[in-house]
């Protein structure tokens, strides 16, 4: 190749360039196909993800600086007003939390009576979102925290208003979230008013998800709230997802065409809540597994060995 | 060798382009973000007489794919196409007056939007509105400014050396 370059003739160089073009484009297409259809490159992405983190930090610096400037420059009066607003909001939230606690207790007692369902408690963890622009045509968000911080693939993510999405890939220090508006995303939902179940799919647009599998005669009204149904086991039940905005009939006249707007502020949140299920260690393990009757006395070593 | 070499300047330019790409823009401006890496590659292909520009474009693209989270190869494909076209017409483009060169850049950027639409359509995502062409417009408008800036920077660096 060096020899061809030295000759420096007009046509030879053009041909060599075309050859290179073909080689590079083929390589790029091969990479894209591999990335799209298999998971070989995920490992490379996870390994190299650490290299990208400092760039993310630098790129989001202007946002942080502008926030700091705003706080420094805003008037005392304004800050006080904001403080008052936040305080009353906190009060309301506390009151609601107390009410919820009572209901949770009742719920637990009822579940114990029924002896159904998994025994778990939900716990959440705040994670920061990198304020950087990724491709706006893709419904992805980048988290400042990865496997080192205990983020796992498949964890549901919420904000204060509703479901945001789920973690789809992690590297050492970053994790990527697929928003529920991504065309590849589906979440099982339940109509809060009627209890009817459906699956909500993303559309690729920030402000709408669709429910394509509902029969035409479903009882759905504009303004109905959709909650996670908990089916499938990925998302815990009862989190708000979206509000129904349009109800129509698809062109075949068989299915309803339902469009809903996500409640979470998908692109505006700078902090999100990662949900994890913590198994409740209860007397369940000691319950006699085989047969019935009074619980037998088990040697201490065997009992600890049985517990995960 | 007190002055940093050409390689260092190149690295700085690539890093700057990556940062500009990641830099969050407020609200609807997101859709108008110019294709900084494309502009950088056009400039490199115009300025650098060496023939490694295609390979360089490929590597810059792979780095962008890692950063932005697109499929590996997507940005590489786009940038290699840009670098190839510029190299093919390099002799003419270099001696075009500024407005003609800017028109050529506009054509390149529009072509780039078509290339992405093609790549995405293989995966089944399509959604081309008017906003889809905005990055090409902003990129074109920025080109003359960036060119003047780059020339000025280079003159200063040479003047110091």
């Amino acid at each position: 190749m060096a020899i061809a370059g030295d000759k420096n003739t007009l046509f030879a160089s053009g041909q060599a360039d075309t050859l290179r073009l073909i080689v590079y484009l083929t390589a790029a297409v091969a990479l894209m196909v591999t990335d799209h259809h298999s998971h070989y490159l995920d490992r490379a992405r996870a390994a190299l993800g650490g290299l990208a983190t400092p760039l993310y930090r630098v790129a989001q610096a202007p946002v942080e600086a502008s926030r700091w400037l705003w706080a420094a420059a805003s008037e005392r009066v304004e800050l006080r007003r904001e403080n008052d607003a936040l305080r009353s909001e906190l009060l309301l939230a506390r009151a609601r939390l107390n009410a919820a606690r009572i209901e949770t207790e009742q719920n637990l007692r009822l579940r114990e009576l029924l002896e159904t369902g998994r025994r778990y408690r939900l716990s959440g963890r705040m994670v920061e979102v990198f304020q950087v622009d990724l491709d706006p045509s893709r419904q992805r968000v980048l988290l400042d925290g990865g496997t080192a911080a205990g983020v796992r693939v498949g964890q549901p993510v919420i904000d204060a208003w509703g479901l945001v999405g789920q973690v789809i890939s992690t590297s050492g220090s970053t994790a990527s979230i697929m928003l529920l508006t991504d065309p590849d995303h589906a979440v099982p939902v339940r109509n809060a008013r009627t209890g009817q179940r459906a699956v909500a799919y993303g559309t690729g647009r920030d402000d709408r998800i669709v429910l394509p599998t509902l029969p035409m005669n479903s009882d759905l009204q504009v303004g109905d709230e959709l909650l996670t149904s908990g089916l499938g086991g990925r998302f815990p039940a009862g989190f708000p997802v979206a509000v129904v905005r349009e109800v129509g009939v698809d062109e075949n006249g068989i299915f309803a065409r339902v469009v809903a707007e996500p409640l979470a502020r998908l692109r505006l949140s700078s902090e999100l809540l990662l949900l994890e299920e913590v198994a409740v260690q209860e007397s369940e393990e000691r319950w006699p597994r085989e047969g019935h009757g009074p619980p037998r006395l088990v040697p201490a070593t065997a009992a600890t060995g049985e517990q995960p | 060798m007190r002055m940093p070499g050409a390689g260092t300047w190149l690295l700085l330019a690539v890093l700057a382009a990556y940062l500009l790409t990641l830099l969050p823009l407020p609200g609807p401006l997101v859709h108008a973000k110019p294709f900084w890496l494309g502009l950088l590659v056009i400039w490199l292909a115009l300025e650098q007489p060496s023939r490694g520009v295609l390979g360089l474009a490929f590597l810059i693209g792979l780095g962008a794919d890692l950063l932005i989270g697109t499929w590996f190869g997507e940005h590489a494909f786009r940038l290699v196409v840009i670098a190839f076209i510029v190299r093919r017409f390099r002799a003419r483009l270099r001696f075009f007056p500024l407005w003609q060169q800017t028109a050529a850049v506009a054509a390149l950027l529009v072509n780039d939007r078509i290339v992405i639409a093609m790549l995405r359509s293989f995966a089944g995502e399509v959604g081309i509105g008017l906003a889809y062409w905005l990055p090409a417009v902003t990129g074109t408008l920025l080109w003359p400014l960036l060119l003047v800036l780059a020339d000025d920077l280079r003159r200063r660096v040479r003047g110091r050396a």
Side-chain angles (χ1 to χ4, degrees):
Chain A
M1 275 199 273
I3 300 167
D6 288 339
K7 271 185 191 164
N8 209 12
T9 53
L10 195 62
F11 297 104
S13 81
Q15 275 168 2
D17 261 2
T18 314
L19 193 67
R20 279 156 186 236
L21 175 78
I22 291 167
V23 169
Y24 281 128
L25 290 192
T26 316
V29 169
L31 275 172
M32 275 188 275
V33 171
T34 316
D35 205 4
H36 191 43
H37 291 288
S38 73
H39 298 285
Y40 291 121
L41 292 173
D42 287 353
R43 214 174 297 161
R45 209 176 272 270
L48 294 170
L51 289 176
T53 316
L55 275 175
Y56 294 141
R57 290 207 195 289
V58 178
Q60 70 171 350
V63 178
E64 282 172 1
S66 67
R67 265 191 211 145
W68 182 85
L69 269 179
W70 184 84
S74 56
E75 293 286 323
R76 227 186 108 138
V77 183
E78 199 164 324
L79 280 178
R80 166 157 292 183
R81 201 185 313 137
E82 192 185 311
N83 200 349
D84 285 346
L86 285 175
R87 196 173 296 156
S88 59
E89 220 168 274
L90 182 69
L91 212 65
L92 259 176
R94 280 226 179 104
R96 278 202 207 109
L97 195 66
N98 281 335
R101 197 171 292 146
I102 296 166
E103 274 177 21
T104 311
E105 268 169 28
Q106 284 176 348
N107 206 347
L108 268 178
R109 227 174 299 143
L110 285 173
R111 213 185 286 162
E112 267 168 28
L113 283 176
L114 286 168
E115 275 192 286
T116 54
R118 287 166 297 168
R119 301 288 177 96
Y120 64 78
R121 196 157 41 86
L122 272 180
S123 115
R125 191 149 44 100
M126 289 296 258
V127 276
E128 296 250 334
V129 176
F130 273 123
Q131 302 287 313
V132 294
D133 273 356
L134 303 182
D135 191 342
S137 63
R138 294 178 151 229
Q139 306 290 319
R140 302 285 149 87
V141 163
L142 207 64
L143 287 187
D144 189 356
T147 45
V151 181
R152 280 173 294 104
V153 171
Q155 274 187 303
V157 183
I158 61 169
D159 69 3
W161 296 274
L163 186 73
V164 169
Q166 57 181 305
V167 177
I168 53 158
S169 68
T170 53
S171 74
S173 55
T174 61
S176 149
I177 297 177
M178 183 190 268
L179 299 178
L180 74 143
T181 47
D182 191 284
D184 289 339
H185 196 278
V187 50
V189 293
R190 181 168 64 83
N191 187 336
R193 186 171 57 85
T194 62
Q196 187 175 32
R197 294 196 171 87
V199 180
Y201 294 89
T203 58
R205 280 181 49 181
D206 275 359
D207 56 346
R208 52 168 51 195
I209 55 176
V210 290
L211 281 63
T213 55
L214 280 172
M216 196 187 73
N217 55 2
S218 311
D219 178 17
L220 261 168
Q221 290 167 6
V222 173
D224 280 358
E225 198 181 14
L226 303 173
L227 311 174
T228 49
S229 69
L231 289 182
R234 164 90 19 128
F235 299 103
F239 283 96
V241 178
V243 172
V244 175
R245 288 286 178 232
E246 283 173 43
V247 181
V249 182
D250 77 344
E251 52 267 26
N252 298 323
I254 301 168
F255 291 108
R257 210 180 56 82
V258 180
V259 177
E261 186 184 346
L263 287 162
R265 303 190 181 172
L266 295 174
R267 299 272 178 187
L268 300 174
S269 309
S270 60
E271 278 169 334
L272 297 174
L273 208 58
L274 268 176
L275 291 182
E276 42 204 337
E277 290 178 5
V278 183
V280 177
Q281 303 275 331
E282 272 187 305
S283 52
E284 203 175 37
E285 299 289 321
R286 270 175 246 143
W287 201 254
R289 291 262 170 80
E290 64 280 273
H292 296 277
R296 283 170 293 149
L297 259 176
V298 199
T301 48
T304 49
E306 224 176 35
Q307 276 175 0
Chain B
M1 287 293 278
R2 283 181 302 107
M3 281 301 295
T8 318
W9 287 114
L10 180 65
L11 196 65
L12 284 177
V14 172
L15 279 180
Y18 281 157
L19 285 179
L20 283 170
T21 308
L22 288 173
L23 192 74
L25 294 180
L29 275 183
V30 171
H31 298 289
K33 176 174 282 191
F35 186 28
W36 295 108
L37 290 162
L39 294 175
L40 175 74
V41 165
I42 294 174
W43 187 76
L44 283 177
L46 279 178
E47 294 299 319
Q48 292 222 333
S50 81
R51 313 186 57 207
V53 172
L54 284 190
L56 192 63
F58 189 77
L59 288 180
I60 293 175
L62 284 187
D65 289 326
L66 179 69
L67 274 180
I68 300 169
T70 41
W71 300 320
F72 273 116
E74 188 178 309
H75 278 83
F77 192 103
R78 292 164 65 185
L79 294 179
V80 166
V81 167
I82 289 178
F84 175 78
I85 298 173
V86 175
R87 273 197 67 78
R88 187 39 80 77
F89 301 105
R90 180 167 178 263
R92 256 173 281 174
L93 283 174
R94 272 168 73 82
F95 295 102
F96 270 167
L98 188 59
W99 70 269
Q100 259 177 333
Q101 204 183 54
T102 308
V105 168
L108 276 170
L109 291 177
V110 167
N111 178 57
D112 175 64
R113 298 310 289 176
I114 296 171
V115 168
I116 322 175
M118 185 191 77
L119 292 178
R120 296 260 163 89
S121 71
F122 291 134
E125 314 167 31
V126 272
I128 298 177
L130 215 56
Y132 183 79
W133 304 101
L134 264 179
V137 176
T138 46
T140 308
L141 293 176
L142 279 170
W143 175 257
L145 294 174
L146 289 175
L147 204 64
V148 171
L149 192 75
D151 278 348
D152 185 58
L153 267 177
R154 199 171 34 178
R155 209 173 305 125
R156 277 167 200 236
V157 168
R158 277 192 189 157
R160 266 197 294 160

